[in-house]
Amino acid sequence: MLSIKHLNAQIVEGDQILKQMSLELQPGEVHAIMGPNGSGKSTLSSVLMGHPGYEVTSGQVIYQNQDLLQMSVDERALAGVFLAFQYPMSIPGVSVLNFLQTVVNVQRKKKNESLLDAYEIIQKAELACARVGLDKSFLSKSLNEGFSGGEKKRVEVIQMLMLNPKLIIMDETDSGLDIDSIKKVSEAVSFMRDGSRSFLIVTHYKRILDTIKPDKVHVFHDGHIIQTGDMALADRLEQEGYDGIVNQSSKEHQ
Ligand code: ADP
Ligand code: MG
């Protein structure tokens, strides 16, 4: 599904953030990425989505047999790559429902599928709201304007549910959510999980992973993965914090 090899990337006219980053994600797999603030997890998410503020200097990313780095942001989205942002943007004057209708129909149009009318969109959107525990009255509000952190994150999950992507990157979607909402988000992931869709879940907390049960857990530090394990690694991180593992890894590399 996704093969990242020796990826180096920097902020445009700035520091190198991703350093020899490699990762293999098979179809249907769910991988968790945990790591300290500032280690480059959001940079990785942005680079995979094609954010223009980051520049890949070397390395390779293959997504479903295509060179992802050669694709525009639109092409990536159309090919099924979806990023739930750590800090979702607000768009004053555009309702959540309008926004959902636009993003869903832009993709359907490009795929030569029939467009969904307002009624069909409302039905799907209300179902998605129920799945994430967001009152349907949010659909008529301006996108993310004045929304709490947790409400914005749930709107991201609503998009994910409605766009039906193949590779889902969730950047700290569970941060800022209360316990009940975390449960809803992990249930939404479990609901979407099938034999072919893959997930990269960036998180600091084991709680969301307890329900999702990822296939692999990676520790990310200084722009690359320093350790890979299973849920036991997430347990250990919760007990010991990142320091122990980071120190152990740097000793091993001396
Ligand atoms: P994480 O998501 O793991 O907390 P980030 O990828 O957000 O880490 O950031 C990695 C490092 O790159 C941090 O030091 C951050 O300040 C810096 N950084 C990321 N994006 C930018 C940017 N657009 N401009 C300046 N610095 C940035
Ligand atoms: Mg981040």
Side-chain angles (χ1 to χ4, degrees):
M1 167 70 68
L2 181 72
S3 167
I4 307 176
K5 288 204 173 97
H6 308 295
L7 186 65
N8 292 291
Q10 62 181 50
I11 298 158
V12 171
E13 299 192 3
D15 294 338
Q16 181 179 2
I17 308 295
L18 298 184
K19 301 171 183 169
Q20 295 293 107
M21 151 83 206
S22 296
L23 173 78
E24 297 289 328
L25 183 66
Q26 303 303 327
E29 280 189 344
V30 179
H31 289 199
I33 294 186
M34 309 180 83
N37 290 326
S39 55
K41 305 179 300 298
S42 294
T43 300
L44 172 66
S45 310
S46 300
V47 166
L48 292 177
M49 204 64 233
H51 190 297
Y54 301 86
E55 187 183 347
V56 172
T57 49
S58 64
Q60 188 189 47
V61 182
I62 302 295
Y63 166 70
Q64 292 194 317
N65 302 320
Q66 301 174 79
D67 183 349
L68 189 74
L69 300 176
Q70 295 302 320
M71 296 161 74
S72 68
V73 178
D74 281 356
E75 287 167 342
R76 295 179 200 205
L78 209 60
V81 183
F82 177 83
L83 168 61
F85 288 103
Q86 183 174 8
Y87 304 110
M89 281 185 326
S90 308
I91 311 183
V94 175
S95 73
V96 174
L97 192 66
N98 277 162
F99 176 74
L100 291 170
Q101 184 164 18
T102 305
V103 292
V104 168
N105 277 338
V106 162
Q107 292 210 359
R108 292 183 73 95
K109 191 171 175 197
K110 287 192 178 157
K111 291 179 190 162
N112 286 323
E113 293 169 359
S114 64
L115 301 188
L116 299 186
D117 64 28
Y119 178 72
E120 289 167 309
I121 289 284
I122 289 173
Q123 278 197 318
K124 283 182 189 288
E126 288 187 352
L127 206 65
C129 280
R131 275 210 186 280
V132 300
L134 196 67
D135 192 273
K136 62 185 181 190
S137 63
F138 277 88
L139 293 173
S140 51
K141 296 185 186 177
S142 245
L143 182 70
N144 289 336
E145 209 181 7
F147 290 17
S148 72
E151 288 159 355
K152 289 182 190 173
K153 296 299 183 69
R154 281 179 285 176
V155 172
E156 294 293 293
V157 179
I158 289 174
Q159 288 173 53
M160 162 181 125
L161 286 162
M162 291 187 63
L163 282 171
N164 217 14
K166 296 196 180 76
L167 170 64
I168 295 174
I169 306 158
M170 302 176 82
D171 193 358
E172 295 200 30
T173 302
D174 55 336
S175 291
L177 290 183
D178 61 40
I179 299 167
D180 294 343
S181 306
I182 291 176
K183 191 158 169 278
K184 294 270 190 211
V185 171
S186 36
E187 284 167 0
V189 170
S190 302
F191 169 74
M192 291 197 80
R193 201 167 173 180
D194 62 19
S196 62
R197 188 176 284 131
S198 306
F199 293 77
L200 265 188
I201 298 181
V202 176
T203 181
H204 286 298
Y205 307 104
K206 200 176 79 67
R207 190 185 294 274
I208 191 168
L209 303 180
D210 282 335
T211 313
I212 292 175
K213 299 188 175 59
D215 299 293
K216 286 185 182 166
V217 174
H218 305 284
V219 183
F220 198 87
H221 175 69
D222 194 20
H224 60 278
I225 290 167
I226 57 168
Q227 194 161 348
T228 295
D230 54 15
M231 269 305 282
L233 183 55
D235 290 328
R236 196 179 143 204
L237 284 172
E238 183 132 299
Q239 300 287 323
E240 301 175 12
Y242 295 123
D243 276 356
I245 285 172
V246 168
N247 291 338
Q248 179 199 340
S249 157
S250 55
K251 276 196 196 106
E252 283 167 7
H253 287 95
Q254 268 170 13

